[in-house]
Amino acid sequence: MKNKKPLKLSVPSQVNQITSVSTATFQDGELHPISKEKESPNYIEQSEVDFEFSLEDLEAVKVVGKGSGGVVQLVRHKWRGNSFALKEISMQMNRSEEIQKQILQELRIHQALQCSHVVGFYHSFHRSRSIYLVLEYMDRGSLADVLRQVKTILEPYLAVVCKQVLQGLVYLHNEKHVIHRDIKPSNLLVNRKGEVKITDFGVSATLVSPKGQRDTLVGTYSYMSPERISGSTYDCTSDVWSLGMVVLECAIGRYPYMQSEDGGSCPDFYELWEAIVQNPPPSAPPDQFSPEFCSFVSACLQKETEKRTSSVDLLSHPFIKKFEDKDIDLGILVGSLESPMNFPR
Ligand code: ATP
Ligand code: MG
C-alpha cells in the first residue's frame, strides 16, 4: 500500500470561529480528503498546516490508555514535534461485521465534527489488521482518570465541566443531529488548559440514519437511560441522562447505583436493568449539595424523556449560571494532579 500522501493537517489553536477545516477520510482502503466545513460560530479556529503525513512519520512516546477497542498511545510527529493521541483499533480477533460497521461509523461521524468541545479527529490510517485514528491529544486523560485521583469533584469545578460537555452536546444534538450514546467518564477528556471534550463516536447514531440502526442495544449499560436499556425508542435526551449520571458520580465519589464506595462487585446487566428501569432515579443528597446542583441532577435524571431537560436548556440552568462569572479555572485542578500516564489504574 502506498503510505505517503500529501494531506492537510488541521491543528487547533484557539477557541473562536472556524476559518477552514481539512481532514481526510478512509474509504475502500484509501484515504480521501474531505470537503471544508462552512463558517459557523463556537467552533475551533483551525490554523492549517500543510505537510506530508503518514503513520511512519509518528513515533510512539507512551501508551496512555486501553479500552475494549484497542490501545491509545501518545505519539509525536518526528520532525514537527506535534503531539497526538493514536488510537489503534485492531481488526483481528475475527471482529464481527457489526463491530466493523461501528468502527467505520466512528470514523464517519467523528471526522465530520468540528467543535471546541469535541476531541479533534485529524486523520485515519488503515494497515492490514488495524485502523489507526490520529486524535487531538488530551494531556490530562479522561474524567475517569481524574476521578481516580481526586475521588470527588466540587460543585464549582463540576459546573465548569458540565458547561463544556453541554456545549459539546448542543453541537452534536442541535447542529449535527447526532446522539452520542456513550457519554461516560472515560469518554470525556481533559487537558491542562482545563478544556473538557467529548470523544468516542463508535456507538453514536445520527438521527437521520434508519430507525433500525438506532435501536440496537450498544454502548455502556451503566450510564444508559431507562428507555435505552429497556430497548425503547430514544432521542438526544438519553445523552442528558448519561451526563446526569456522570455528574452525580463525580459529586458523590461512587457510581450512583452502588450503595457505598467499596460497595462490592459491579452490578450485572439484570441488576442494572432493574435499578435503572424499576427504581426511582438516583438523586443528589440535599443535605450535602446546593439546591441548584440537586435541581440540575434531577433535571437530567428524569425517567420520562418528556420531563428531561434538553442539552440546550440545561446550558441556562441556575447551576451552570451560578458559577459562570466566578472565573473557575479547571486547569488549576487538573494541573495539580499526577499525569494519568504516571498514575496506575
Ligand atoms: P471503552 O472500551 O469502554 O471505550 P475507554 O473509553 O476507556 O473504554 P478508549 O476510548 O480506548 O477506551 O480509551 C482508553 C483511555 O485512553 C481513555 O480512558 C483515556 O484515558 C485515554 N485516551 C483516549 N483518547 C485519548 C486522547 N485523545 N488523548 C489522551 N488520552 C486518551
Ligand atoms: Mg473511550
Side-chain angles (χ1 to χ4, degrees):
M1 185 190 289
K2 200 176 162 206
N3 289 336
K4 288 217 170 192
K5 267 178 179 266
L7 286 167
K8 285 182 175 181
L9 178 70
S10 304
V11 180
S13 50
Q14 66 179 84
V15 177
N16 200 339
Q17 277 201 320
I18 225 170
T19 47
S20 59
V21 174
S22 82
T23 183
T25 179
F26 175 72
Q27 268 174 12
D28 308 324
E30 279 300 315
L31 285 163
H32 304 275
I34 62 166
S35 61
K36 296 185 174 191
E37 283 224 354
K38 288 197 185 83
E39 282 205 350
S40 181
N42 304 323
Y43 306 160
I44 302 170
E45 184 174 63
Q46 304 275 333
S47 56
E48 279 195 5
V49 183
D50 293 320
F51 54 84
E52 297 269 321
F53 190 67
S54 81
L55 199 51
E56 289 67 29
D57 295 335
L58 302 174
E59 59 188 2
V61 178
K62 195 154 186 169
V63 171
V64 293
K66 196 170 182 335
S68 53
V71 168
V72 180
Q73 293 184 82
L74 165 63
V75 295
R76 198 163 286 143
H77 192 278
K78 285 176 186 166
W79 305 287
R80 299 194 176 246
N82 310 54
S83 294
F84 302 102
L86 184 71
K87 182 168 178 171
E88 178 182 357
I89 303 171
S90 168
M91 301 300 267
Q92 272 178 313
M93 301 180 292
N94 302 325
R95 286 197 188 278
S96 69
E97 220 173 282
E98 180 65 21
I99 302 267
Q100 292 193 27
K101 265 202 298 202
Q102 270 181 35
I103 293 166
L104 291 174
Q105 174 135 321
E106 169 160 3
L107 299 189
R108 254 197 310 274
I109 293 175
H110 204 161
Q111 72 194 7
L113 303 174
Q114 294 291 338
C115 169
S116 49
H117 297 291
V118 171
V119 168
F121 178 112
Y122 301 123
H123 222 318
S124 61
F125 296 101
H126 193 221
R127 291 295 182 269
S128 56
R129 298 237 163 91
S130 295
I131 290 180
Y132 295 87
L133 312 187
V134 183
L135 303 167
E136 177 180 3
Y137 175 57
M138 298 293 283
D139 59 7
R140 306 316 296 189
S142 70
L143 210 52
D145 297 318
V146 172
L147 277 179
R148 258 189 289 277
Q149 291 192 57
V150 298
K151 307 295 179 216
T152 58
I153 300 178
L154 295 174
E155 283 189 34
Y157 291 116
L158 267 183
V160 175
V161 170
C162 278
K163 183 175 176 186
Q164 298 190 55
V165 177
L166 284 169
Q167 286 171 321
L169 286 180
V170 169
Y171 168 78
L172 293 180
H173 295 165
N174 295 12
E175 302 253 346
K176 292 291 174 183
H177 310 292
V178 162
I179 309 171
H180 184 282
R181 300 204 297 179
D182 201 15
I183 296 293
K184 59 179 177 177
S186 70
N187 284 342
L188 301 175
L189 302 185
V190 189
N191 65 22
R192 71 178 71 187
K193 288 188 273 181
E195 294 170 332
V196 183
K197 307 192 182 202
I198 301 171
T199 191
D200 269 3
F201 294 82
V203 294
S204 303
T206 41
L207 297 174
V208 290
S209 66
K211 188 170 169 286
Q213 280 179 28
R214 223 171 58 211
D215 287 349
T216 51
L217 200 60
V218 290
T220 312
Y221 299 129
S222 311
Y223 300 88
M224 262 188 197
S225 60
E227 68 278 10
R228 280 205 62 210
I229 202 164
S230 55
S232 310
T233 52
Y234 56 92
D235 59 22
C236 297
T237 63
S238 64
D239 286 341
V240 168
W241 170 281
S242 308
L243 174 63
M245 290 289 289
V246 171
V247 173
L248 185 54
E249 177 172 337
C250 292
I252 63 178
R254 63 178 161 79
Y255 175 64
Y257 285 111
M258 271 188 177
Q259 291 311 312
S260 63
E261 215 176 308
D262 49 357
S265 57
C266 285
D268 65 24
F269 175 78
Y270 295 101
E271 287 164 343
L272 262 182
W273 182 90
E274 202 177 0
I276 296 172
V277 176
Q278 313 233 299
N279 292 354
S283 57
D287 56 334
Q288 293 171 35
F289 297 96
S290 69
E292 293 90 349
F293 181 75
C294 296
S295 154
F296 183 87
V297 169
S298 161
C300 296
L301 296 181
Q302 288 294 323
K303 288 176 76 178
E304 292 167 52
T305 53
E306 314 80 60
K307 292 188 182 161
R308 216 173 287 152
T309 309
S310 69
S311 47
V312 72
D313 288 343
L314 281 171
L315 264 181
S316 47
H317 187 281
F319 172 60
I320 304 295
K321 292 280 159 205
K322 186 176 173 184
F323 298 102
E324 251 175 0
D325 54 359
K326 299 276 190 298
D327 218 14
I328 311 289
D329 190 349
L330 189 64
I332 293 178
L333 174 72
V334 295
S336 68
L337 302 178
E338 215 22 71
S339 160
M341 288 194 289
N342 305 329
F343 195 78
R345 276 154 209 252

